[in-house]
Every structure is written in C-alpha cells, then in structure tokens.
Amino acid sequence: MPVESHYRICPLCEACCGLEVKTEGAKVVGIRGADNDVFSRGYLCPKGVSLKDLHEDPDRLRTPLIKRDGRFVPASWDEAFAEIERRLLPVWREQGPDAVALTIGNPAAHKVNLLAYTPRLVRALGSRNVFSASTLDQMPKQLSAGLMFGHWLSIPLPDIERCDYLLMLGANPMVSNGSLWTVPDYRGKAKAMRARGGRIVVVDPRRSETAAVADEHLPIRPGGDALLLLGIAHTLFDEGLVKLGRLAEHVNGLDEARAAVAPFAPEVTAAGCGIPADVQRRIARELAAAPRAAVYGRIGTCTTRFGTVNSWLVDLLNVLTGNLDREGGAMFAKAAAFAANTQGRPGSGKGITTGRRKSRVSGAPEVFGELPITVMAEEMQTPGEGQVKALITVASNPVLSAPGGPRIAQALEGLDFMLSLDIYVNETTRHADVILPGLSPLEDLHFDVAFPQLSHRNHARFSGPVFDAPAGTPQEWQTILRLCALLEGRGLDVDVQQLDDEAIESDVKRFAGDNTPAVLAALRPWRGPERLIDLQLRVGPYGDQFGRKPDGLNLAKVKAASTVEAGGIDLGALTARIPEVLRTPSGKIELAPPSIVADLAAIKVEAAPAFSLIGRRDVRSGNSWMHNLPLLAKGPERCTLLVNPGDAERLGLVEFARVRSAAGELVARVERSADMSAGVVSLPHGWGHDLDGVQLGVARERPGVNMNALLDDAARDPLSGNAVLSGVAVQITAA
Ligand SMILES: Nc1nc2c(c(=O)[nH]1)N[C@H]1C(S)=C(S)[C@@H](COP(=O)(O)OP(=O)(O)OC[C@H]3O[C@@H](n4cnc5c(=O)[nH]c(N)nc54)[C@H](O)[C@@H]3O)O[C@H]1N2
Ligand SMILES: Nc1nc2c(c(=O)[nH]1)N[C@H]1C(S)=C(S)[C@@H](COP(=O)(O)OP(=O)(O)OC[C@H]3O[C@@H](n4cnc5c(=O)[nH]c(N)nc54)[C@H](O)[C@@H]3O)O[C@H]1N2
Ligand code: SF4
Ligand SMILES: [Mo]
C-alpha cells in the first residue's frame, strides 16, 4: 500500500504544532513535525507522536455506553439519545434548568466542534450552573484583561522574537509548551533570544526546566507573586522609572495605580515573598532599562488567592515600562477568525460585566458566563430549591482535575442522571448513566479558534481529518445539536443538517441583517463548523469580506495553503494595536480597576508555613487523560512528591511520604530534588487512576495519587472564582 502524507494540527496543547502524519491504508506509520509549517516549523513533542497511540487505544470509546444495573453496556446512538430523553428531560423540566449542571473541560478549548457548538448547548440548557476548567486555570487573567482592555481574550503576550528582557512568573513553557502564549519551541526561541543578548528571569518556587535555561532564577515563596510584583511596581514609581511613552494618552487611572501600590515598598514585601528588597529593586531597574521587555505570568500566578491581582500587576508593569503593545514587548495577537477584539467598533466598547448571577450555596459571582467549578459539589450536595440533580460533562474530568476530587466523586454518585461527552470511562465518566464518545483526533477536522488570539505570530491554518470517521459515528458538533434539539422539545427524530442551517442563520442575522440571505448563499458550499470558520475568516481582519477584498482570506484559501508542503498561511509578526484593540467603555487602558485595587487590602505579609505544596507538569502528560497512551506512559514514574534533599533528610523520608492538608491526606512516592526550595514540595495533578470502574488499562498500572484530594474546594480568588491550586500548607511525615 502507498504511504500517504497528511497535514494535521496537533490538538493536544496550546502550541498548536503542524504535524506530518504518514499513513499506509488505515494505519499510522509515522508522525513528525511538519518542517514547512509557517508557525511551528517542524517542532513537536512526544504528545504529538502519541496521537497514533490515542487513535489506536483499545480503551478509547467507539460507541455510546448506557449504564444498566451498574454496568456499562454498548448501545446505538438512537438508544443512547432515547435514554437521555427519558431520564434527563424530566429533571430539567420538572426541577428547572438550574437542576442540570454543565461542566466543560480543557479539550473543548482545542476543538472547534466543541468550542463553537457548546455555547449553543449552554443557551438551550439555560442553567446558571455552568462550570469549566477556566476557573482552574486562566480566569484571573481573562478578568484582568477584560477590566483593563475591555475584552476577556485581549491578553498581551511576549513578542519573544524581538524581546530583550523577559520576566516570567509561574510558567514552565519548556514543559507546558506555553499557555495563554502560543509559542511552539520555546526552547529554541529562548536560546535565540539569549544568543542575541537578551535576558530571561524566571520566578518560580522550583528551579523548573524553564528556570534552568534562563539567565536567572528567583525562587519565590509560593503565593508570593503579588508582593513581588507590587514591590517592583512600587520601585518604578518610587525611583522615577515610569515611562509610558506612546501609551500615555491611552491610559486611565495612573494616579490611582500609584496610590494603590504605595504601601508595598520592596522593603515591606520581601518578608512575604522571599525575594530580597534589593533584588526586587534591581529587577525593576532592569525592566525599566531594557530597550524592549515583557512580563508574563501563568498558572503559578493565576491559581492563587490573588490570581486576578497578579494578572493585573503583570500588565501594569508592561504599561508602566512602556512595553505594552510595542514590538519586542507584550503585544496583542490579531487572529484571522473568531476574535471579538477584531469585531465591532474599534477603540471602545461595552467592556465586561461580572456577577450577573450568583451561586446558590456560597454566593460566588458569575464570571464570563460561568460559576467557579469549585462550587459544583456543594451545589449537588446541598438540598433546597435549585439543587443540582443532573450533570452533563463535556471533555471534563473534575474528579481528578478539581480541588476536592473525592467529594466531587461522592456528589456525582448522588445525582439522578449524568451524561458525559467523552472518549474514555475514567474517574469522572464512570459515574455517568450515558456516555457519548467523540472521535479520534485523526478522524476530526481542526481549526484553532482560541489560540491564534494568543499566538506569538499571526497565522491561519486548517487541517482536515486524516481518516474517515467510522460509519454512523457523528461528529461532536452533531451530537451537541441533537442534544439542543431534545432540550428545545423537538424530540429524537431531527435532521441535524436542518438544525445546523437554522443555527447559522440566526448567527448571521445578528450582524448581517437584511444581507443574511446573500451571506448564507456565499457560505453555501460549507456545512457545520467549516461554515462557521468560513464565515469568521471572511468577516475577519484579513478576510475577503465576501468579495469586497478579493485578495482576502476565506476557508477555501486557507485550506488550499494548509498542506505538508505549504504549512499554512503566515500573517506576520505582531503589530501594535492600541487603541484599536481596546473595548473598554472609556476607550482607554484601565490601569486601576476598582475591584482589583480594593482586593489589595486583603494582602498580608505573612510567615511561610512549614511546607507548602505546589503543582507541576510533565512533558509526557496532559492534565488527567493522556496516561493511557503507551508512548507517554513508559519511562520513570511521574507522579512523585519532589522534596528538597535537606528537608527529606531532616524528616527521614525514604521511599514514601504522608502528605496531610486541612482538606485531605495521601501517601506519595518521594523523589529528592535539589531544584525544590526548602519548605516547598511538588506533586503533579491529574493522577489517581486506581478508582473502581475506571477503564484505562495502561494508566491503572501506575495510577499515581490525586493531588487535588489535598486541596480545599472553598479556597478561591474571590474576584475571578479561580481555584487555589498552589501554595497550600501541608504537613509531611515519613510513611
Ligand atoms: N492541582 C492542580 N489541578 C489542576 C491544575 C493544576 O495545575 N494543579 N491544572 C488545571 C488546568 S490548567 C486545567 S486546564 C484542568 C484540566 O482538567 P479538565 O478540564 O478536567 O481536562 P483534562 O484533565 O484534560 O480531561 C479531559 C477530559 O476530556 C476527555 N477528552 C479528551 N479528548 C476528548 C474529545 O475529543 N472529546 C471529548 N468529548 N472528550 C475528550 C478526556 O477523556 C478527559 O475526560 O486541570 C486543572 N487542574
Ligand atoms: N506536558 C504538558 N503540557 C501542558 C499541560 C500538561 O498537563 N502537560 N497542561 C496544559 C494546560 S491545561 C495548561 S493551563 C498549561 C499551563 O502552562 P504553565 O503555566 O507553563 O504551567 P506549569 O508547567 O504548571 O508551570 C507553572 C509553574 O509555576 C510554578 N509555581 C507554582 N506555584 C507558584 C507560585 O506561587 N508562584 C510562582 N511564581 N510560580 C509558581 C510551578 O513550579 C511551575 O513551574 O500547560 C498546558 N501544557
Ligand atoms: S507541543 Fe506537543 S502536544 Fe503541544 S501541540 Fe506540539 S506536538 Fe502537540
Ligand atoms: Mo489549563
């Protein structure tokens, strides 16, 4: 059989690498980085190669499952939908929409099928109990960006290819491959930056892989970033280093920002963050002096009590040093499609609103249309009107990925009905009554909706399925539209094509008005997500505007250029976008959003606990679900507790340690590591595959432990609702 070559964008992390997948008939015979890819230029990591394992994984679901007498049995799609109609709809109708919760997990951000269609399900469901991985992750950054720049996805990112000085906090792109910063081959880019004289400073309680290849590592106390960033901001004002440059006429609230940081001199903050005052002042001076600098913070800065404050301070520093929106600084991407900050009137807008609803039990405010995922269990377990009695999960595994995992498992057991859209029977979906499987990534088309809005360089790429989906298996957007139809009272016997036609018509009407028929006619060759992509590309900033700009982009052009040979369309380096990118009501950058400034009052300079627990990621792992792929599972055990050797000695730790927090305890295998600061221990998340009923043959062999069993589901950043995942006080003893 001939070997064929296919271009495929990897959907497994934010780097969005272009791959070359070689097939022989129905078999994958090789996966490598696509050398000509305009964006990733041949880069890939072991997870990309493991797409073959994922495609072939015998545990990956290929048919719907229905639970009968406590056991899953394979079912047809019609049977599965009939079961959903019979069991979900009564809960929803009789107890009200809030009784049915929805949780959306990380892979949904990587799939146009899910990202573009899940909002339709949210609307059809009408429940306030919508949760997602966003409140375990980046909600603080989205909130601060929304308040400062007017839109949730207007997030500045380092222009690394032209940057001279990069201050990075709480991120490990050497392993994570970047986050809220789509930057494949960080290693190569960091190396190039240093080779041309640039300097990288990494702030992290662990000497991470990223710190190891930087010029300087500052071992901060977990949770100490707000104090450090405040100390730096204070120094900029104190020493007259603030220089807004071109931004001066585009900001509001400079005096308020100065007043807000005034109490936080480095000499005050040092005791709370563990970074000496003279170092804080030096970093401030270096940042101010660098010709082009950027400050970037990620998971370690978001998943703390002061996640929103941290996220704001990162961009405040970018503005105060004149580095926001300038080449080599922290810039905004301009995505070809789907970016709200390229739509509507440029330069100002409605801004953002939070708190339109509150959670029933804790009163946690809605942010970006959702409630904190950490209130999900209490909403299920607390009786009363509006109690959650049923759940739909979409690519979400909260039993392993959210704090209080064991409590979530218990809560799921108490539900009247649970539906999962997923590809495995895992720690969460084992509780479902019906599971509807998605496709293998190699059977799916791919277009990145979110990540071009966060890319270090602008680009447009598309990839089609490598293999046909098995006959009769719907794509996930079709599954979602059928669910919407059930909720809309249209029953089981629906024409998905017609549902899709109706959905797109209502989308187009919203902006095209009287032109709707003409726009729909122009989109006619496409169906499903492809039609949405064509629409978004054509009305986007590089679009053909339905013929008004004949040289502009549309899906046909992007598809034609998305081959192994051509590697997509390069849209160039980032360009300055202020004021056009702004969507704040004032048309300015808001430097001192009142809710954030008010939260500074809660910051205390405290002594460190005996031990704090932080997380970590591993190259051969992806959150909670890639541990069943042989290529990634092989090698040394990854779920270990990293302990500073001096601490291990003192505590007499040999092979295992008992880790106890206020919320739970577990026993983990100990790995001594001189990269750990004294008093800090690290466990990765997403492990603990040995629960009853989990059907993950490979992952169960070395299940690891669930670090989220140690985390308190009541610990949140009150502004964004984001969970606290790092810097949790623990006790360590030998076991
Ligand atoms: N302690 C601690 N906890 C953390 C973190 C941390 O740093 N520390 N990180 C947090 C972060 S940043 C995130 S994003 C979350 C992630 O946590 P989740 O949002 O729960 O995502 P995953 O763990 O990636 O689980 C993905 C689920 O989607 C399923 N899946 C995979 N592909 C598909 C598909 O194509 N279709 C469908 N329908 N399902 C699919 C998998 O089987 C799995 O059930 O974890 C968070 N949890
Ligand atoms: N291989 C792999 N890649 C992934 C994932 C994965 O699971 N595996 N997950 C993906 C997802 S969903 C996301 S959101 C991204 C996340 O991408 P990153 O944000 O780069 O995530 P991490 O690798 O967890 O790096 C966080 C760093 O913060 C440090 N840290 C912990 N607490 C603190 C603190 O209080 N202050 C400071 N300054 N640092 C702290 C940790 O030691 C760690 O080195 O990665 C994505 N990429
Ligand atoms: S870095 Fe690895 S997982 Fe991420 S997109 Fe590239 S190949 Fe896929
Ligand atoms: Mo994430």
Side-chain angles (χ1 to χ4, degrees), residues 105-107 111 114 133 136-137 299 395-398 401 421-424 426 438-439 476 617 622-625 685 707-708 711 725:
N106 172 276
K111 311 243 157 175
L114 295 176
L136 300 169
D137 184 346
I299 277 284
S396 171
N397 189 8
S401 55
L421 272 60
D422 209 286
I423 57 172
Y424 286 112
N426 65 15
L439 297 171
E476 289 203 275
R617 289 176 156 76
N623 295 319
S624 74
W625 71 279
H685 71 283
M707 87 94 86
N708 279 312
L711 304 187
L725 305 176

Side-chain angles (χ1 to χ4, degrees), residues 12 54 103-108 111 114 132-134 136-138 179 298-299 303 373 393-403 420-429 436-441 444 476 614-617 622-626 683-686 696 706-708 711 724-726:
L12 298 181
L54 179 56
T103 166
I104 305 161
N106 172 276
K111 311 243 157 175
L114 295 176
S132 88
S134 290
L136 300 169
D137 184 346
Q138 82 290 350
S179 182
R298 204 45 283 273
I299 277 284
T303 56
I373 196 168
T393 73
V394 178
S396 171
N397 189 8
V399 170
L400 293 194
S401 55
S420 287
L421 272 60
D422 209 286
I423 57 172
Y424 286 112
V425 179
N426 65 15
E427 302 72 22
T428 294
T429 62
L436 301 177
L439 297 171
S440 151
D444 210 351
E476 289 203 275
I614 63 170
R616 76 177 184 275
R617 289 176 156 76
N623 295 319
S624 74
W625 71 279
M626 292 176 211
L683 259 182
H685 71 283
L696 298 169
N706 183 0
M707 87 94 86
N708 279 312
L711 304 187
V724 174
L725 305 176
S726 194

Side-chain angles (χ1 to χ4, degrees), residues 47 70 269 291 364 387 402 413 416 565 573 631 643 663 683 707:
K47 293 210 292 291
T269 61
Q387 182 181 1
E413 235 0 75
D416 292 344
E565 294 73 30
L631 177 74
V643 187
L683 259 182
M707 87 94 86

